[in-house]
């Protein structure tokens, strides 16, 4: 007999004669003549209640079933006579696949997120993390659907690269050198002897590759892991995270902001519709405001505000911030949160940032002091999207690279795109984990990645 997933059984909405389910025991309760076993198979939040009659041939062993044990059950799904669940299975057979010992770490009680991080290999077996990672899966699918429905092509940008897209130097080096015996030449390591014959690193962004393909296929996107050796131990930074990066030819900053706003609204709406049951757990136990936050995001028009005006609002706010804010300074998380949570109470897109705090590829505005950058900020997270219109003028781009000290020779191919058929184009990067934090209300990035990588932490 073929196994049926619990999620599918619960959707049938009628009694089903002969079924086979396989899963893990959440709890067992014995009463006169019966045992009640709650079984979860990970396909949905709900458990299936299984009734084990004392006349089953192995009923003695069934009474030993402990939390975490694995079972295969055949029987009939009928309407439940007890409260608490609509359906239950009257078992014909209960096969014990494996018994979990009493020291199974996930006994039925609430555990802290901190504790569960130390057993990240088991935490997806809890209700909360099972739900979080089902939502992660749904949302990844929704990203692809969003783009495919709009005619975007999916590009696999390289993971190992020779360039630093953001020019911020937060690179993880990739090498096959024996670190105790590195070939040297004057001034340092001799990378001509390394695997690629030159310095290599893990990508910090797929943007440069996406630009080449946007200037060939029109509208494209990448969606993959990116790596940053930022030594910041915050609740919204990870060393390995996933980024969604659309890139559009014949598109200016306005069109770029439109897409960012449309995408966040689409994904919030999608997950409210498709993952309602899992989301409800977060609305009940993690963030009581979650549904109203998501409704607000899905239905309100995002504020669009030039950077200078944002600085002005912050300075007039009469709030004392830990970091001063003035033209030319980075917005810190506290500033972003003030704007989205206190001042506007909804998502805010800030654009036209000072050139000196943004990377070389952003298009210089006519004022010569700002670039056509845009960041989307959302309540409780802050920056969720960073993007820009790209500098498509060869001479301006070269001047910007000189200014920021980037070796033009290494980027010859990137400059080629400006030599041959250059057009205005734009794109952005959306942090996938930050999106997950937004839709679940989870406040630490470590809790939306299966096995998080952060400074001094690479277990599992
Ligand atoms: O603003 P960022 O650095 O932009 C870029 O990388 C551009 N090249 C993207 C592009 O235009 N194609 O990063 C984009 C987003 C941020 O807004 C944030 O959501 C997320 O990526 N992000 C991180 N998420 C988790 N951990 C980190 N260390 C992150 N750094 C950036
Ligand atoms: Mg950014």
């Amino acid at each position: 007999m073929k196994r049926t997933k619990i999620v599918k059984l619960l959707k049938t909405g009628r009694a089903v004669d002969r079924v086979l389910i396989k899963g893990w025991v959440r709890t067992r309760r014995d009463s006169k003549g019966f045992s009640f076993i709650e079984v979860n198979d990970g396909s949905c939040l709900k458990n299936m209640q299984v009734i084990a009659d004392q006349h089953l041939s192995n009923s003695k062993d069934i009474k030993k079933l402990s939390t975490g044990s694995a079972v295969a059950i055949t029987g009939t799904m009928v309407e439940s006579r007890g409260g608490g669940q609509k359906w239950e299975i009257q078992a014909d057979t209960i096969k014990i696949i494996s018994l979990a010992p009493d020291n199974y770490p996930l006994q039925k009680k609430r555990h802290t997120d901190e504790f569960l991080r130390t057993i990240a290999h088991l935490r997806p077996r809890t209700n909360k993390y099972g739900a979080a990672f089902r939502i992660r899966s749904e949302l990844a699918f929704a990203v692809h659907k969003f783009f495919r429905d709009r005619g975007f092509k999916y590009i696999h940008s390289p993971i190992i690269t020779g360039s630093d897209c953001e020019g911020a130097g937060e690179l993880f080096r990739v090498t096959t050198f024996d670190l105790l015996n590195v070939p040297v030449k004057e001034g340092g390591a001799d990378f001509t002897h390394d695997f690629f014959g030159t310095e290599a690193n893990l990508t910090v962004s797929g943007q440069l590759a996406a630009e080449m393909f946007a200037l060939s296929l029109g509208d494209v996107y990448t969606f993959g892991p990116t790596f940053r050796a930022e030594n910041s131990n915050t609740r919204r930074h990870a060393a390995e995270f996933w980024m969604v990066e659309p890139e559009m030819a014949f598109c200016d900053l306005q069109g770029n902001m439109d897409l960012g706003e449309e995408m966040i609204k689409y994904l919030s709406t999608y997950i409210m519709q498709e993952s309602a049951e899992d989301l409800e757990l977060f609305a009940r136990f993690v963030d009581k405001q979650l549904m109203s936050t998501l409704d607000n995001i899905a239905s309100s028009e995002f504020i669009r505000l030039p950077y200078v005006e944002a600085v002005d609002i912050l300075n007039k706010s009469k709030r004392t911030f830990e970091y001063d804010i003035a033209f030319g300074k980075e917005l810190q998380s506290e500033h972003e949160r003030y704007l989205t949570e206190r001042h506007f109470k909804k998502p805010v897109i800030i654009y036209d940032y000072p050139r000196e705090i943004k990377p070389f590829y952003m298009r210089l505005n006519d004022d010569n002091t700002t670039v056509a950058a845009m960041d989307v900020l959302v309540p409780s997270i802050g920056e969720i999207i960073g993007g820009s219109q790209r500098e498509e003028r060869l001479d301006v781009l070269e001047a910007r690279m000189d200014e920021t000290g980037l070796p033009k020779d290494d980027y010859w191919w990137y400059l080629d795109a400006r030599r041959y058929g250059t057009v205005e184009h734009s794109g952005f990067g959306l942090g996938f984990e930050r999106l997950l934090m937004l839709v679940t209300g989870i406040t630490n990035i470590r809790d939306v990645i299966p096995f998080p990588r952060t400074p001094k932490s690479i277990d599992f």
Side-chain angles (χ1 to χ4, degrees):
M1 206 198 303
K2 210 168 156 263
R3 157 175 103 96
T4 310
K5 292 193 174 161
I6 291 172
V7 66
K8 195 168 163 207
L9 277 176
L10 291 175
K11 272 188 193 147
T12 54
R14 57 178 167 77
V16 188
D17 231 0
R18 279 179 55 73
V19 293
L20 166 64
I21 63 164
K22 294 182 181 181
W24 295 271
V25 173
R26 283 293 174 81
T27 58
R28 192 203 76 239
R29 182 164 56 84
D30 301 321
S31 77
K32 235 173 57 206
F34 303 97
S35 292
F36 296 93
I37 306 163
E38 293 283 336
V39 177
N40 188 284
D41 69 359
S43 64
C44 60
L45 188 62
K46 284 206 177 79
N47 301 327
M48 181 65 84
Q49 171 161 287
V50 175
I51 314 289
D53 190 285
Q54 64 178 357
H55 299 303
L56 289 178
S57 61
N58 58 344
S59 74
K60 250 211 193 111
D61 290 335
I62 289 169
K63 288 221 165 70
K64 291 185 200 140
L65 273 176
S66 50
T67 301
S69 298
V71 287
I73 288 154
T74 62
T76 308
M77 187 172 83
V78 296
E79 254 180 274
S80 176
R81 269 164 291 167
Q85 65 281 315
K86 187 140 193 337
W87 301 97
E88 64 192 19
I89 288 180
Q90 306 270 3
D92 298 330
T93 66
I94 296 185
K95 186 177 155 212
I96 299 169
I97 299 173
S98 64
L99 271 182
D102 291 342
N103 63 359
Y104 179 60
L106 293 173
Q107 298 301 329
K108 199 181 159 83
K109 66 168 188 139
R110 289 284 280 277
H111 300 283
T112 65
D113 294 324
E114 288 74 16
F115 168 70
L116 290 171
R117 262 172 236 151
T118 69
I119 50 166
H121 59 305
L122 298 177
R123 69 180 177 170
R125 299 182 186 194
T126 64
N127 282 344
K128 177 175 168 184
Y129 287 89
F133 292 113
R134 276 189 298 272
I135 289 175
R136 186 172 171 121
S137 170
E138 279 302 314
L139 213 49
F141 173 77
V143 165
H144 290 298
K145 181 164 165 51
F146 174 82
F147 286 121
R148 191 167 190 279
D149 288 352
R150 285 160 185 75
F152 283 63
K153 300 300 174 212
Y154 177 32
I155 307 299
H156 295 118
S157 50
I159 304 291
I160 304 176
T161 76
S163 55
D164 176 3
C165 171
E166 297 307 297
E170 294 158 339
L171 306 173
F172 284 104
R173 177 156 279 156
V174 175
T175 178
T176 52
F177 277 161
D178 171 357
L179 293 184
L180 297 178
N181 190 16
V182 175
V184 287
K185 60 172 189 189
E186 226 192 278
D190 184 358
F191 289 102
T192 58
H193 295 291
D194 205 352
F195 188 89
F196 296 106
T198 182
E199 286 186 62
N201 53 272
L202 295 178
T203 186
V204 295
S205 161
Q207 176 193 325
L208 304 189
E211 279 189 57
M212 299 307 105
F213 276 77
L215 297 179
S216 315
L217 306 186
D219 293 336
V220 301
Y221 70 105
T222 72
F223 181 15
T226 48
F227 308 86
R228 293 192 187 176
E230 268 173 297
N231 205 357
S232 45
N233 241 319
T234 78
R235 56 173 196 84
R236 44 175 221 162
H237 288 92
E240 176 180 304
F241 60 100
W242 282 59
M243 217 199 288
V244 183
E245 296 183 89
E247 191 71 34
M248 295 165 286
F250 312 107
C251 177
D252 62 9
L253 189 67
Q254 208 64 40
N256 204 21
M257 292 195 267
D258 291 346
L259 186 78
E261 177 167 349
E262 185 186 354
M263 185 172 174
I264 290 176
K265 285 177 169 164
Y266 174 91
L267 294 171
S268 309
T269 307
Y270 185 95
I271 214 66
M272 284 191 280
Q273 284 165 1
E274 300 298 321
S275 295
E277 184 186 85
D278 283 329
L279 216 53
E280 198 198 310
L281 178 148
F282 292 97
R284 281 179 62 188
F285 299 114
V286 175
D287 175 6
K288 296 256 187 287
Q289 309 302 319
L290 185 64
M291 292 331 262
S292 64
T293 304
L294 292 181
D295 279 332
N296 181 20
I297 286 169
S299 63
S300 67
E301 213 173 293
F302 294 10
I303 300 288
R304 299 188 184 190
L305 189 73
Y307 167 92
V308 262
E309 289 179 29
V311 169
D312 202 41
I313 290 172
L314 290 164
N315 277 325
K316 286 187 178 140
S317 73
K318 298 197 184 84
R319 280 203 136 211
T320 36
F321 295 109
E322 196 181 326
Y323 293 87
D324 286 345
I325 184 71
F327 189 91
K329 290 197 170 169
E330 300 269 8
L331 293 184
Q332 302 293 330
S333 161
E334 54 177 344
H335 304 129
E336 295 171 350
R337 296 191 60 175
Y338 175 82
L339 291 169
T340 54
E341 289 164 30
R342 306 252 155 217
H343 193 81
F344 292 110
K345 297 189 167 53
K346 57 162 134 169
V348 181
I349 309 181
I350 311 241
Y351 63 94
D352 288 349
Y353 281 75
R355 61 192 284 178
E356 61 268 27
I357 58 169
K358 288 292 179 186
F360 72 99
Y361 54 71
M362 296 190 174
R363 193 179 195 281
L364 191 61
N365 287 324
D366 292 342
D367 62 12
N368 246 320
T369 55
T370 60
V371 288
M374 66 104 175
D375 278 3
V376 181
L377 317 178
V378 291
S380 86
I381 314 290
E383 177 189 340
I384 191 165
I385 280 180
S388 73
Q389 185 171 337
R390 318 307 188 187
E391 185 54 77
E392 85 284 12
R393 299 161 297 184
L394 182 62
D395 52 336
V396 184
L397 183 58
E398 285 184 326
R400 278 282 281 162
M401 291 177 85
D402 289 339
E403 187 182 303
T404 47
L406 277 187
K408 290 201 293 277
D409 287 352
D410 293 357
Y411 292 82
W412 62 273
W413 51 276
Y414 188 71
L415 294 167
D416 255 7
R418 278 69 181 167
R419 287 192 184 98
Y420 310 124
T422 190
V423 297
E424 65 175 358
H425 62 288
S426 302
F428 62 78
L430 171 134
F432 189 59
E433 284 74 18
R434 294 200 184 167
L435 178 70
L436 271 156
M437 291 165 74
L438 179 71
V439 303
T440 57
I442 289 176
T443 52
N444 196 312
I445 196 165
R446 290 164 183 77
D447 299 336
V448 295
I449 312 182
F451 298 109
R453 274 77 180 94
T454 52
K456 301 282 180 289
S457 164
I458 192 168
D459 285 342
F460 312 105

